[in-house]
PDB file of all heavy atoms in Angstrom:
ATOM      1  N   TYR A 444      -5.699  25.176  32.177  1.00 94.00           N
ATOM      2  CA  TYR A 444      -6.797  24.207  32.156  1.00 94.00           C
ATOM      3  C   TYR A 444      -7.364  24.076  33.560  1.00 94.00           C
ATOM      4  O   TYR A 444      -6.632  24.208  34.553  1.00 94.00           O
ATOM      5  CB  TYR A 444      -6.312  22.830  31.698  1.00 94.00           C
ATOM      6  CG  TYR A 444      -5.904  22.746  30.253  1.00 94.00           C
ATOM      7  CD1 TYR A 444      -4.644  23.177  29.839  1.00 94.00           C
ATOM      8  CD2 TYR A 444      -6.757  22.203  29.290  1.00 94.00           C
ATOM      9  CE1 TYR A 444      -4.244  23.084  28.513  1.00 94.00           C
ATOM     10  CE2 TYR A 444      -6.364  22.108  27.952  1.00 94.00           C
ATOM     11  CZ  TYR A 444      -5.117  22.545  27.573  1.00 94.00           C
ATOM     12  OH  TYR A 444      -4.726  22.445  26.265  1.00 94.00           O
ATOM     13  N   GLU A 445      -8.649  23.788  33.637  1.00 93.00           N
ATOM     14  CA  GLU A 445      -9.285  23.436  34.902  1.00 93.00           C
ATOM     15  C   GLU A 445      -9.741  21.981  34.780  1.00 93.00           C
ATOM     16  O   GLU A 445     -10.858  21.713  34.321  1.00 93.00           O
ATOM     17  CB  GLU A 445     -10.480  24.358  35.180  1.00 93.00           C
ATOM     18  CG  GLU A 445     -10.107  25.795  35.469  1.00 93.00           C
ATOM     19  CD  GLU A 445      -9.341  25.946  36.781  1.00 93.00           C
ATOM     20  OE1 GLU A 445      -9.433  25.041  37.634  1.00 93.00           O
ATOM     21  OE2 GLU A 445      -8.635  26.966  36.934  1.00 93.00           O
ATOM     22  N   PRO A 446      -8.899  21.039  35.165  1.00 91.00           N
ATOM     23  CA  PRO A 446      -9.195  19.627  34.885  1.00 91.00           C
ATOM     24  C   PRO A 446     -10.444  19.084  35.569  1.00 91.00           C
ATOM     25  O   PRO A 446     -11.028  18.109  35.104  1.00 91.00           O
ATOM     26  CB  PRO A 446      -7.939  18.903  35.386  1.00 91.00           C
ATOM     27  CG  PRO A 446      -7.282  19.837  36.334  1.00 91.00           C
ATOM     28  CD  PRO A 446      -7.601  21.211  35.839  1.00 91.00           C
ATOM     29  N   ASP A 447     -10.896  19.736  36.647  1.00 90.00           N
ATOM     30  CA  ASP A 447     -12.092  19.250  37.330  1.00 90.00           C
ATOM     31  C   ASP A 447     -13.381  19.737  36.674  1.00 90.00           C
ATOM     32  O   ASP A 447     -14.475  19.332  37.085  1.00 90.00           O
ATOM     33  CB  ASP A 447     -12.069  19.692  38.799  1.00 90.00           C
ATOM     34  CG  ASP A 447     -10.965  19.000  39.586  1.00 90.00           C
ATOM     35  OD1 ASP A 447     -10.701  17.810  39.306  1.00 90.00           O
ATOM     36  OD2 ASP A 447     -10.353  19.651  40.458  1.00 90.00           O
ATOM     37  N   ASP A 448     -13.252  20.578  35.647  1.00 91.00           N
ATOM     38  CA  ASP A 448     -14.430  21.099  34.956  1.00 91.00           C
ATOM     39  C   ASP A 448     -14.756  20.327  33.678  1.00 91.00           C
ATOM     40  O   ASP A 448     -15.500  20.819  32.835  1.00 91.00           O
ATOM     41  CB  ASP A 448     -14.221  22.585  34.607  1.00 91.00           C
ATOM     42  CG  ASP A 448     -14.268  23.477  35.828  1.00 91.00           C
ATOM     43  OD1 ASP A 448     -14.861  23.067  36.847  1.00 91.00           O
ATOM     44  OD2 ASP A 448     -13.704  24.588  35.768  1.00 91.00           O
ATOM     45  N   TYR A 449     -14.208  19.135  33.531  1.00 91.00           N
ATOM     46  CA  TYR A 449     -14.382  18.401  32.270  1.00 91.00           C
ATOM     47  C   TYR A 449     -15.843  18.052  31.981  1.00 91.00           C
ATOM     48  O   TYR A 449     -16.213  17.790  30.828  1.00 91.00           O
ATOM     49  CB  TYR A 449     -13.530  17.124  32.271  1.00 91.00           C
ATOM     50  CG  TYR A 449     -14.010  16.039  33.214  1.00 91.00           C
ATOM     51  CD1 TYR A 449     -14.896  15.060  32.784  1.00 91.00           C
ATOM     52  CD2 TYR A 449     -13.585  16.002  34.537  1.00 91.00           C
ATOM     53  CE1 TYR A 449     -15.341  14.075  33.637  1.00 91.00           C
ATOM     54  CE2 TYR A 449     -14.014  15.014  35.405  1.00 91.00           C
ATOM     55  CZ  TYR A 449     -14.903  14.055  34.955  1.00 91.00           C
ATOM     56  OH  TYR A 449     -15.348  13.076  35.813  1.00 91.00           O
ATOM     57  N   ASN A 450     -16.706  18.061  33.013  1.00 89.00           N
ATOM     58  CA  ASN A 450     -18.125  17.733  32.817  1.00 89.00           C
ATOM     59  C   ASN A 450     -19.021  18.965  32.861  1.00 89.00           C
ATOM     60  O   ASN A 450     -20.240  18.834  32.786  1.00 89.00           O
ATOM     61  CB  ASN A 450     -18.586  16.740  33.884  1.00 89.00           C
ATOM     62  CG  ASN A 450     -18.789  15.340  33.321  1.00 89.00           C
ATOM     63  OD1 ASN A 450     -18.885  15.166  32.108  1.00 89.00           O
ATOM     64  ND2 ASN A 450     -18.865  14.358  34.184  1.00 89.00           N
ATOM     65  N   ASN A 451     -18.431  20.142  32.998  1.00 90.00           N
ATOM     66  CA  ASN A 451     -19.204  21.378  33.120  1.00 90.00           C
ATOM     67  C   ASN A 451     -19.172  22.133  31.796  1.00 90.00           C
ATOM     68  O   ASN A 451     -18.206  22.835  31.487  1.00 90.00           O
ATOM     69  CB  ASN A 451     -18.625  22.241  34.252  1.00 90.00           C
ATOM     70  CG  ASN A 451     -19.478  23.466  34.539  1.00 90.00           C
ATOM     71  OD1 ASN A 451     -20.401  23.806  33.802  1.00 90.00           O
ATOM     72  ND2 ASN A 451     -19.150  24.146  35.631  1.00 90.00           N
ATOM     73  N   TRP A 452     -20.226  22.028  31.016  1.00 91.00           N
ATOM     74  CA  TRP A 452     -20.225  22.608  29.675  1.00 91.00           C
ATOM     75  C   TRP A 452     -20.097  24.128  29.704  1.00 91.00           C
ATOM     76  O   TRP A 452     -19.593  24.734  28.754  1.00 91.00           O
ATOM     77  CB  TRP A 452     -21.494  22.203  28.916  1.00 91.00           C
ATOM     78  CG  TRP A 452     -22.774  22.776  29.439  1.00 91.00           C
ATOM     79  CD1 TRP A 452     -23.590  22.244  30.378  1.00 91.00           C
ATOM     80  CD2 TRP A 452     -23.389  23.996  29.022  1.00 91.00           C
ATOM     81  NE1 TRP A 452     -24.682  23.043  30.600  1.00 91.00           N
ATOM     82  CE2 TRP A 452     -24.598  24.137  29.778  1.00 91.00           C
ATOM     83  CE3 TRP A 452     -23.065  24.997  28.107  1.00 91.00           C
ATOM     84  CZ2 TRP A 452     -25.453  25.214  29.620  1.00 91.00           C
ATOM     85  CZ3 TRP A 452     -23.920  26.077  27.953  1.00 91.00           C
ATOM     86  CH2 TRP A 452     -25.097  26.175  28.702  1.00 91.00           C
ATOM     87  N   ARG A 453     -20.519  24.749  30.806  1.00 92.00           N
ATOM     88  CA  ARG A 453     -20.421  26.209  30.896  1.00 92.00           C
ATOM     89  C   ARG A 453     -18.979  26.686  31.042  1.00 92.00           C
ATOM     90  O   ARG A 453     -18.676  27.844  30.751  1.00 92.00           O
ATOM     91  CB  ARG A 453     -21.247  26.708  32.085  1.00 92.00           C
ATOM     92  CG  ARG A 453     -22.744  26.504  31.923  1.00 92.00           C
ATOM     93  CD  ARG A 453     -23.498  26.971  33.153  1.00 92.00           C
ATOM     94  NE  ARG A 453     -24.939  26.812  32.996  1.00 92.00           N
ATOM     95  CZ  ARG A 453     -25.586  25.674  33.237  1.00 92.00           C
ATOM     96  NH1 ARG A 453     -24.909  24.602  33.649  1.00 92.00           N
ATOM     97  NH2 ARG A 453     -26.894  25.610  33.074  1.00 92.00           N
ATOM     98  N   LYS A 454     -18.086  25.821  31.515  1.00 93.00           N
ATOM     99  CA  LYS A 454     -16.681  26.182  31.708  1.00 93.00           C
ATOM    100  C   LYS A 454     -15.794  25.661  30.571  1.00 93.00           C
ATOM    101  O   LYS A 454     -14.571  25.706  30.667  1.00 93.00           O
ATOM    102  CB  LYS A 454     -16.180  25.607  33.035  1.00 93.00           C
ATOM    103  CG  LYS A 454     -16.906  26.129  34.259  1.00 93.00           C
ATOM    104  CD  LYS A 454     -16.610  27.604  34.485  1.00 93.00           C
ATOM    105  CE  LYS A 454     -17.255  28.111  35.772  1.00 93.00           C
ATOM    106  NZ  LYS A 454     -16.665  27.528  36.981  1.00 93.00           N
ATOM    107  N   LEU A 455     -16.434  25.191  29.513  1.00 95.00           N
ATOM    108  CA  LEU A 455     -15.721  24.643  28.351  1.00 95.00           C
ATOM    109  C   LEU A 455     -16.021  25.507  27.130  1.00 95.00           C
ATOM    110  O   LEU A 455     -16.952  26.326  27.147  1.00 95.00           O
ATOM    111  CB  LEU A 455     -16.152  23.197  28.104  1.00 95.00           C
ATOM    112  CG  LEU A 455     -15.819  22.195  29.213  1.00 95.00           C
ATOM    113  CD1 LEU A 455     -16.539  20.870  28.971  1.00 95.00           C
ATOM    114  CD2 LEU A 455     -14.314  21.971  29.310  1.00 95.00           C
ATOM    115  N   PRO A 456     -15.252  25.352  26.045  1.00 95.00           N
ATOM    116  CA  PRO A 456     -15.550  26.126  24.829  1.00 95.00           C
ATOM    117  C   PRO A 456     -16.980  25.906  24.351  1.00 95.00           C
ATOM    118  O   PRO A 456     -17.561  24.829  24.570  1.00 95.00           O
ATOM    119  CB  PRO A 456     -14.538  25.578  23.813  1.00 95.00           C
ATOM    120  CG  PRO A 456     -13.405  25.087  24.650  1.00 95.00           C
ATOM    121  CD  PRO A 456     -14.024  24.546  25.897  1.00 95.00           C
ATOM    122  N   LEU A 457     -17.530  26.909  23.700  1.00 94.00           N
ATOM    123  CA  LEU A 457     -18.891  26.800  23.170  1.00 94.00           C
ATOM    124  C   LEU A 457     -18.980  25.703  22.109  1.00 94.00           C
ATOM    125  O   LEU A 457     -19.984  25.000  22.014  1.00 94.00           O
ATOM    126  CB  LEU A 457     -19.325  28.144  22.588  1.00 94.00           C
ATOM    127  CG  LEU A 457     -20.761  28.250  22.080  1.00 94.00           C
ATOM    128  CD1 LEU A 457     -21.750  27.989  23.218  1.00 94.00           C
ATOM    129  CD2 LEU A 457     -21.003  29.633  21.473  1.00 94.00           C
ATOM    130  N   GLY A 458     -17.933  25.575  21.304  1.00 94.00           N
ATOM    131  CA  GLY A 458     -17.892  24.505  20.309  1.00 94.00           C
ATOM    132  C   GLY A 458     -18.241  24.931  18.900  1.00 94.00           C
ATOM    133  O   GLY A 458     -18.176  24.119  17.970  1.00 94.00           O
ATOM    134  N   VAL A 459     -18.591  26.194  18.709  1.00 96.00           N
ATOM    135  CA  VAL A 459     -18.939  26.675  17.364  1.00 96.00           C
ATOM    136  C   VAL A 459     -17.697  26.702  16.473  1.00 96.00           C
ATOM    137  O   VAL A 459     -17.731  26.276  15.308  1.00 96.00           O
ATOM    138  CB  VAL A 459     -19.577  28.076  17.438  1.00 96.00           C
ATOM    139  CG1 VAL A 459     -19.785  28.642  16.031  1.00 96.00           C
ATOM    140  CG2 VAL A 459     -20.893  28.016  18.183  1.00 96.00           C
ATOM    141  N   ALA A 460     -16.580  27.182  17.004  1.00 96.00           N
ATOM    142  CA  ALA A 460     -15.346  27.263  16.215  1.00 96.00           C
ATOM    143  C   ALA A 460     -14.891  25.886  15.770  1.00 96.00           C
ATOM    144  O   ALA A 460     -14.536  25.678  14.597  1.00 96.00           O
ATOM    145  CB  ALA A 460     -14.246  27.935  17.041  1.00 96.00           C
ATOM    146  N   SER A 461     -14.899  24.937  16.685  1.00 96.00           N
ATOM    147  CA  SER A 461     -14.448  23.584  16.338  1.00 96.00           C
ATOM    148  C   SER A 461     -15.414  22.922  15.355  1.00 96.00           C
ATOM    149  O   SER A 461     -14.992  22.175  14.470  1.00 96.00           O
ATOM    150  CB  SER A 461     -14.305  22.732  17.595  1.00 96.00           C
ATOM    151  OG  SER A 461     -15.526  22.664  18.302  1.00 96.00           O
ATOM    152  N   PHE A 462     -16.710  23.214  15.496  1.00 97.00           N
ATOM    153  CA  PHE A 462     -17.705  22.617  14.600  1.00 97.00           C
ATOM    154  C   PHE A 462     -17.503  23.104  13.163  1.00 97.00           C
ATOM    155  O   PHE A 462     -17.494  22.304  12.216  1.00 97.00           O
ATOM    156  CB  PHE A 462     -19.111  22.959  15.077  1.00 97.00           C
ATOM    157  CG  PHE A 462     -20.201  22.326  14.259  1.00 97.00           C
ATOM    158  CD1 PHE A 462     -20.565  21.005  14.469  1.00 97.00           C
ATOM    159  CD2 PHE A 462     -20.849  23.053  13.274  1.00 97.00           C
ATOM    160  CE1 PHE A 462     -21.571  20.416  13.705  1.00 97.00           C
ATOM    161  CE2 PHE A 462     -21.853  22.480  12.503  1.00 97.00           C
ATOM    162  CZ  PHE A 462     -22.217  21.149  12.724  1.00 97.00           C
ATOM    163  N   ILE A 463     -17.305  24.409  13.002  1.00 97.00           N
ATOM    164  CA  ILE A 463     -17.095  24.959  11.658  1.00 97.00           C
ATOM    165  C   ILE A 463     -15.758  24.475  11.089  1.00 97.00           C
ATOM    166  O   ILE A 463     -15.665  24.107   9.914  1.00 97.00           O
ATOM    167  CB  ILE A 463     -17.154  26.489  11.682  1.00 97.00           C
ATOM    168  CG1 ILE A 463     -18.548  26.953  12.112  1.00 97.00           C
ATOM    169  CG2 ILE A 463     -16.795  27.074  10.320  1.00 97.00           C
ATOM    170  CD1 ILE A 463     -18.673  28.451  12.314  1.00 97.00           C
ATOM    171  N   ALA A 464     -14.714  24.478  11.933  1.00 96.00           N
ATOM    172  CA  ALA A 464     -13.402  24.012  11.471  1.00 96.00           C
ATOM    173  C   ALA A 464     -13.454  22.544  11.083  1.00 96.00           C
ATOM    174  O   ALA A 464     -12.830  22.123  10.098  1.00 96.00           O
ATOM    175  CB  ALA A 464     -12.360  24.223  12.572  1.00 96.00           C
ATOM    176  N   LEU A 465     -14.211  21.766  11.843  1.00 95.00           N
ATOM    177  CA  LEU A 465     -14.360  20.344  11.510  1.00 95.00           C
ATOM    178  C   LEU A 465     -15.049  20.198  10.148  1.00 95.00           C
ATOM    179  O   LEU A 465     -14.634  19.366   9.327  1.00 95.00           O
ATOM    180  CB  LEU A 465     -15.173  19.657  12.598  1.00 95.00           C
ATOM    181  CG  LEU A 465     -15.169  18.124  12.641  1.00 95.00           C
ATOM    182  CD1 LEU A 465     -15.428  17.649  14.071  1.00 95.00           C
ATOM    183  CD2 LEU A 465     -16.216  17.527  11.718  1.00 95.00           C
TER     184      LEU A 465
END
Side-chain angles (χ1 to χ4, degrees):
Y444 291 81
E445 292 293 340
D447 292 324
D448 289 338
Y449 70 91
N450 253 343
N451 187 350
W452 68 270
R453 293 178 179 84
K454 298 292 184 67
L455 296 169
L457 184 61
V459 173
S461 58
F462 183 80
I463 297 174
L465 195 153

